[in-house]
Each structure stands twice: as C-alpha cells, then as structure tokens.
Amino acid sequence: MQAAMKLQSVSCAENAILCPKIQSSVPKQDLKGHSVAIIGLGKSGISATKLALARGASVLAIDENEKLVLTGQNIMSKKHSILKTILGKFDHELLKEADVIVVSPGVPIENYGLSALLQSGKRVMSELDFAAEVLPRGTKVLAVTGTNGKSTVATFTGQMLRQLNIETFVGGNLGIPLSEAAFQCLTSSPQIFLQVAIVEVSSYQLEIPNKFFHPSVAVILNLTPDHLERHKTMRNYAMTKCRVLSHMTGKKIAILPLGNPYLDEAIAGHVNECTFAWIGAYPGIKIDIEAKIANFEVPIIKHVSQLPLGAMKTIGTQNYYNAAVAALSVIGLDLGINDAAINSTIGKLRAPPHRMEIVHKDSHGISWVDDSKATNVEATYSGLMGLKERKSVILLGGLAKVSDLQGSNGFEQLVEPLKYHRGVITFGSSGMMIQNTLSSNGLDIPCIRTRDLKNAVRLAKSMAKSGDTVVLSPGCASFDEFRNFEHRGKYFQELAFSE
C-alpha cells in the first residue's frame, strides 16, 4: 500500500484492522457555491488553494509579490474557471466579498484589514485550521510548538511511529503543509490509512484563533525571545503559543516546560480544559543526563515507565530531551504502544537536516556539523551545552535578532559554554557585533572575525586540529547572505567537503 503523495509515512498494512480509513470530516464539494480568498502563495497558500478547489470553492489566490513565479506549481499553472490569481497590489474590498478568507502563516493579521474583518464576524481562518476542518475524525493529532527544537521533536516522534508501522503524516510548519495531507484525505483513491498527524506549529499559524484544530496531545517545548518584531512582547508571544491548547478537553494532554513565567501566565485560561504533563516534573518527564535515562509518569492513562536513552547516535545532550519528549508524546497519544516497542526505536533516531547534523569527517580527522537551523542565540546555546565533550571550532554569524526589548543581542550568554572549545569565528553582517559582545564579556578563547561564511570555513580548517569538530551554529538569521537557513546549511556542507 502506498499513499498518493510522500507524507513521510510507512505502510500499516500489517496493522490494517487498527487503522482508521482516511475519510474526510467534510463531504466532498462542501464549499461548492462559496468563494474562498487565499492570501499568501508560499507552500501553505498553494496547498490551501488546492484544498479549496477540491472542496468545490471558487478561489481568489492573492500574493503581494508581483514577481512571484507560480509556473512550477501545477495547480496554479493549469487553467481553472473557478480560480483567479492576483499578484501585487489588489483592492482590499475583494476580501469582503469572499465567504471564507484563508491566511498563510507569513501574512500578519494586521495586513489587508484582516483583523477588522475577523472582529466583524467574517470567516477568517489560518491555513492550519482550514486543513484541520477536513482531517478525518479518527486521526489523532500531535501538535509540536516552541521557540527551539520543535522540528527535531516532530521528526523524532514521526520516526518512532513509522518504525512501529503506524501510518503517520509529519508536516505543518515543517516541510509539507497540513493542507496537503487534508487534500489527500479528501481526494485519495484508493483510500489510504492515517492514524496520526504530527504537526509542527509556528506562532504565526496560531495568530488567528482556531476552531477545528484541536490536538490529542500538544507540546510547547520552550519559550525564549524570538519573533518579537511580529509579536511585540513576550507576553503576546506566550499567549499566541498557548492558543494551541484551545479546544483540548477531557483526556487530551498538554506537555509544557516547568517554570516558564510567560507560559505559566498564558496557560491560566486553559487549566480547566486539558490535562498537563511537565518537562522536568511529574506528572510528566524527568531526565537523568548522566545515566541517560528518562522517567515518565503520564497523566490520564496512568502510565509509569523508564526509557534508556544510551543507544542514541545523534550528538548533543539536547537530543536526549528531544527524544524523551517525543516518547512522552507517543505514550500520550494512547495508541497501545508498549515501552519495549518505543525503546526499540531510540537507536535509529536521526536528527532532521541542519540540526546538529554530522555531515562530514575529513581526511584530517575533523568532523563537520551543520546546525544552521540555530537561528537565535538560545538554539546555539542549547547546542553548545551538548558539545562540552567535543573540542570544537564554532562559527557564529549572519543577521542577529534583537533578543529583548532593551535591544540586547544575547550573545553574552554564550561565553560560558564557549570556554570548552578551540575557538570562535564570527562572520556576516553581525560578525563584528558578536565578536565585540563576546570579547567584552570575558571570552578567553581565540575569536576571529571574517567577512562571510566561505572565509569562516577557510579559517576553521586552519584552526581545527585532528579529532576536533567544526560546528556551524550561527545564532543568527541567514538573510544577509542566503535565502534561508537551508541554503546556508547546504553551502556550509559544500565548503566542508572541499579540501
């Protein structure tokens, strides 16, 4: 049995009796005679357009980028009598005429009068909620959010379930939009099976309150300063993240870190809705890093167990936490998976690309690690704390983010974990600022600044010794030199392989 598209899933033919058949929660053509406006035509917007057309709607697809190239998108390049596309400026009055407005995550709610339309009672939906309306009722949803680590936890959870022959979709903010899975649920023939949808959720996807997206298990891994240019304050950021808990009632489980003041305030409105499990306390999970053991007490299902983590092959102690939270999520989904089955998956877990990914070991005995996804200081800090036993040359740089409202860049907190390493090379538009911040805060290992990533790799090759590791963990956005963190990571890998 093979799904009609690549959903990062495996066959569950052997367990077919246990698998609900994919049957959409809405009838086909349920939007026939209705108009849907899709705003933002990135991956999410394109997938939402496909889904809206499949539901029978007439679609107005809009993107403010008049130079956007859509020829590679099959659904957009075909002629549809019920599809109209507008690129560039448009008359906002058109939105008032639409029955439904679907907003891509890259579009702030303040744009195009969307906030006013939402408050007026217009049906304004996130792409996430538009997709969730179609998902089969029998599919269990795991939502993973947080500032850092959500892609890795979502990936680890998907790998665990796939190894255990549980048909699983992994996507959302990570890779494939949820609308793509919903489209397959609606149109797939022959029917496939889908037991679990693992959805990485960004704060942008939660700005518009959701009605249909209500996970069986939701994880908020952490909350540190990020995206403040959009959310303005940490309080707003936390309140937005905690919208993932809306509509989680009864036996649904929310997994959160213990002791985050912003999250503690934000969850106050949800304490009577879902059951909480904690990262760092019971009920929930405690992790003994020295012994490499995770101890679980899962509420509702009264599950108490212990999970050895020593078989893990991914680097960085933070991945012990990521794997443990993934295991807790699997247990919380209550799929009837026993401890031995989960334990059997640990040694096969692999981090997603550009997250502490070992990409090369060269002829000089130097290992090269791509952590380009570390686009803020907290992600880099987490990675460095897991590398104390690996003498490394650390590459920091790019376009730094403001980490608090006082304008601090936050790099001073890296001085402590950096002291275990060979040296630091800073680069990019924020390279000088990073070097000055580290030096003025007492960094006592070599710290060299250079123009760009290419030169940073060249210097790293001369600084590193046999047995060392060169780690790209920039702590910055990539847009000063690259299209995105993936582009930066791939370029780093090319440079690593060039002797």
Side-chain angles (χ1 to χ4, degrees):
M1 179 182 66
Q2 185 173 1
M5 69 174 207
K6 295 179 180 178
L7 290 182
Q8 298 189 36
S9 56
V10 299
S11 169
C12 63
E14 295 177 2
N15 297 329
I17 294 176
L18 302 176
C19 301
K21 282 193 173 183
I22 275 197
Q23 291 179 334
S24 170
S25 293
V26 300
K28 291 184 179 180
Q29 303 288 299
D30 69 303
L31 292 178
K32 191 173 182 63
H34 294 78
S35 59
V36 175
I38 310 288
I39 304 181
L41 298 179
K43 286 194 298 184
S44 295
I46 294 295
S47 293
T49 300
K50 288 173 57 178
L51 180 58
L53 290 170
R55 294 175 68 177
S58 60
V59 177
L60 176 63
I62 300 168
D63 197 289
E64 65 179 4
N65 181 4
E66 61 185 16
K67 297 181 180 179
L68 186 68
V69 178
L70 296 172
T71 54
Q73 307 290 344
N74 290 335
I75 193 69
M76 307 303 292
S77 58
K78 294 177 181 178
K79 289 186 177 180
H80 291 271
S81 60
I82 56 174
L83 171 64
K84 179 181 179 181
T85 303
I86 299 177
L87 300 181
K89 295 181 179 179
F90 68 98
D91 183 358
H92 297 179
E93 292 295 311
L94 291 171
L95 298 180
K96 295 181 180 179
E97 300 172 7
D99 297 309
V100 181
I101 301 171
V102 179
V103 184
S104 295
V107 180
I109 192 68
E110 293 80 14
N111 289 13
Y112 314 121
L114 293 170
S115 182
L117 287 169
L118 181 62
Q119 291 174 9
S120 73
K122 173 69 71 173
R123 193 178 179 197
V124 181
M125 307 177 71
S126 67
E127 177 270 333
L128 193 71
D129 211 32
F130 187 64
E133 185 178 13
V134 177
L135 286 181
R137 291 187 179 88
T139 298
K140 292 194 174 185
V141 175
L142 165 65
V144 184
T145 192
T147 306
N148 297 307
K150 52 188 178 289
S151 295
T152 301
V153 170
T155 299
F156 280 176
T157 311
Q159 290 174 358
M160 288 177 176
L161 292 176
R162 293 197 299 273
Q163 289 180 53
L164 299 174
N165 288 336
I166 304 296
E167 188 74 3
T168 303
F169 165 83
V170 181
N173 188 57
L174 167 69
I176 304 170
L178 187 61
S179 286
E180 194 68 39
F183 175 79
Q184 291 298 324
C185 292
L186 196 64
T187 63
S188 175
S189 181
Q191 289 182 327
I192 58 175
F193 297 98
L194 184 63
Q195 287 177 277
V196 178
I198 300 172
V199 187
E200 181 190 312
V201 183
S202 74
S203 57
Y204 294 175
Q205 292 171 302
L206 295 167
E207 284 185 335
I208 300 172
N210 291 315
K211 180 180 179 181
F212 301 100
F213 186 73
H214 34 83
S216 301
V217 176
V219 180
I220 304 177
L221 286 167
N222 44 53
L223 192 84
T224 57
D226 204 3
H227 305 304
L228 295 185
E229 73 288 349
R230 183 147 162 177
H231 297 299
K232 308 306 180 188
T233 68
M234 284 296 293
R235 185 177 185 273
N236 289 345
Y237 186 30
M239 296 295 285
T240 302
K241 284 287 191 186
C242 286
R243 282 182 179 157
V244 76
L245 308 180
S246 301
H247 313 297
M248 289 183 64
T249 57
K251 295 184 177 180
K252 295 176 178 179
I253 297 175
I255 301 171
L256 287 91
L258 185 69
N260 184 296
Y262 297 106
L263 290 176
D264 289 348
E265 179 188 3
I267 64 174
H270 302 280
V271 291
N272 296 321
E273 296 177 0
C274 51
T275 300
F276 289 93
W278 304 98
I279 302 170
Y282 300 130
I285 184 171
K286 288 185 178 182
I287 301 164
D288 185 334
I289 290 295
E290 294 298 322
K292 299 179 181 179
I293 290 175
N295 296 286
F296 300 91
E297 287 185 13
V298 187
I300 300 295
I301 59 176
K302 307 298 183 184
H303 184 104
V304 178
S305 63
Q306 200 173 69
L307 179 66
L309 300 169
M312 287 190 66
K313 295 182 174 63
T314 55
I315 67 169
T317 54
Q318 77 279 11
N319 278 322
Y320 292 130
Y321 285 91
N322 292 333
V325 172
L328 177 59
S329 301
V330 169
I331 296 168
L333 287 170
D334 199 16
L335 297 166
I337 298 172
N338 61 37
D339 296 343
I342 295 175
N343 188 37
S344 71
T345 69
I346 295 298
K348 300 174 185 176
L349 297 179
R350 297 292 180 268
H354 315 299
R355 283 90 167 170
M356 279 296 171
E357 179 187 11
I358 302 175
V359 296
H360 182 47
K361 186 167 185 178
D362 66 25
S363 58
H364 304 290
I366 298 169
S367 298
W368 295 79
V369 172
D370 173 8
D371 192 32
S372 182
K373 183 60 173 68
T375 58
N376 57 53
V377 175
E378 286 74 18
T380 295
Y381 181 89
S382 177
L384 292 176
M385 291 301 289
L387 290 173
K388 290 182 180 180
E389 298 178 0
R390 284 177 173 257
K391 186 71 74 172
S392 302
V393 177
I394 311 297
L395 309 188
L396 299 173
L399 185 61
K401 301 177 180 180
V402 174
S403 66
D404 62 35
L405 297 180
Q406 285 71 48
S408 169
N409 58 69
F411 281 88
E412 62 276 2
Q413 65 185 288
L414 300 184
V415 171
E416 171 64 22
L418 283 171
K419 71 181 184 181
Y420 298 97
H421 296 295
R422 181 77 61 198
V424 178
I425 299 169
T426 71
F427 65 93
S429 64
S430 298
M432 179 179 290
M433 177 273 291
I434 296 169
Q435 183 187 43
N436 291 340
T437 299
L438 295 174
S439 299
S440 62
N441 282 275
L443 184 69
D444 58 1
I445 63 173
C447 183
I448 303 171
R449 177 175 62 87
T450 190
R451 184 176 68 254
D452 53 25
L453 181 57
K454 183 176 182 180
N455 282 290
V457 169
R458 178 180 57 80
L459 289 170
K461 288 182 177 181
S462 63
M463 183 184 290
K465 299 181 180 180
S466 181
D468 283 0
T469 302
V470 175
V471 183
L472 171 67
S473 189
C476 293
S478 58
F479 305 123
D480 60 332
E481 190 179 351
F482 303 98
R483 293 188 300 274
N484 47 44
F485 75 84
E486 293 97 339
H487 181 205
R488 176 171 61 189
K490 289 176 182 176
Y491 185 60
F492 169 77
Q493 294 183 27
E494 291 173 8
L495 296 172
F497 277 93
S498 62
E499 293 291 339

